[in-house]
Amino acid sequence: MCRGDIMNEMKKALERCGALQYGDFTLASGAKSDYYIDVKKASTDPKTLYLISQLMAEKVQTSGKKYDRIAGIVLGSVPLAAALSLATGIPYVMVRKEKKDHGTSKLIEGNMNSGDEVLVVEDVITSAGSCISAVRTLRENGASVNDVLSVIDRGSGGSEALASVNIKLSSLLKASELLSTEK
């Protein structure tokens, strides 16, 4: 599938499930925006989640890299990690933002071994703050993390922030590409 077809198919899928919205929004980073991409809506829509998982799987398989684990950050990235795991056969783990005060009190749920090469998946990258925190948690627990794959890169400094901690960001789409396709 060519890049233009991917952009148009993703835009149609995101609009169909109500994930691509226009208006006045405040993002998690505190920045203001005239559009919002609610990938959580997309990941709860089976057709859109399937499309995302297939496009991510293709990107993983053509990267030439071998990953031992996929990591999803609780809550938004977990469905993406699970879908990508199903599409590739690579096990996944879930990374919490903070420890729970009950149960096992783990920050990482699922099996991960020291030295595992882990691909972190994200829904939308803006400043990458929560993603960098998850990468730090994974690394502190013995993982080798060098790559993040997001559905959307808003082009708001996240790629540079990740690069500052030696992480390469790949995305299915940049927000500018998504917004530049015909409405």
Side-chain angles (χ1 to χ4, degrees):
M1 187 179 293
C2 79
R3 186 95 184 130
D5 291 342
I6 291 170
M7 287 188 296
N8 286 324
E9 189 171 355
M10 277 296 297
K11 182 170 184 169
K12 286 177 188 171
L14 293 171
E15 287 176 335
R16 184 185 67 243
C17 71
L20 181 56
Q21 304 168 26
Y22 300 94
D24 184 27
F25 302 96
T26 302
L27 306 176
S29 65
K32 299 288 187 184
S33 178
D34 60 355
Y35 69 95
Y36 184 68
I37 305 164
D38 186 353
V39 179
K40 288 166 195 68
K41 272 194 175 196
S43 65
T44 58
D45 176 73
K47 289 181 182 175
T48 307
L49 180 59
Y50 180 77
L51 173 64
I52 291 168
S53 73
Q54 296 306 297
L55 294 172
M56 282 187 151
E58 183 179 318
K59 212 159 181 63
V60 167
Q61 291 160 350
T62 59
S63 74
K65 296 183 179 181
K66 182 189 175 302
Y67 298 103
D68 300 302
R69 298 282 182 271
I70 296 164
I73 304 163
V74 173
L75 175 73
S77 304
V78 171
L80 301 173
L84 182 56
S85 175
L86 288 168
T88 61
I90 301 168
Y92 77 100
V93 296
M94 298 172 279
V95 183
R96 295 184 187 278
K97 293 178 184 172
E98 56 189 42
K99 287 183 180 181
K100 296 285 184 181
D101 59 2
H102 60 278
T104 60
S105 301
K106 293 180 188 175
L107 281 174
I108 301 171
E109 297 292 344
N111 295 323
M112 187 182 77
N113 303 310
S114 184
D116 277 354
E117 186 67 33
V118 178
L119 171 66
V120 175
V121 294
E122 263 286 30
D123 50 5
V124 178
I125 292 284
T126 303
S127 66
S130 63
C131 190
I132 290 171
S133 178
V135 166
R136 192 171 297 121
T137 298
L138 288 161
R139 286 177 171 170
E140 287 169 357
N141 284 274
S144 174
V145 186
N146 300 296
D147 300 293
V148 169
L149 175 57
S150 70
V151 178
I152 307 289
D153 174 6
R154 287 186 67 97
S156 300
S159 181
E160 295 80 4
L162 287 165
S164 75
V165 293
N166 300 313
I167 299 290
K168 180 180 183 264
L169 173 64
S170 299
S171 61
L172 296 182
L173 292 171
K174 294 188 183 320
S176 59
E177 294 173 315
L178 182 65
L179 298 172
S180 70
T181 59
E182 292 182 23
K183 286 187 182 180

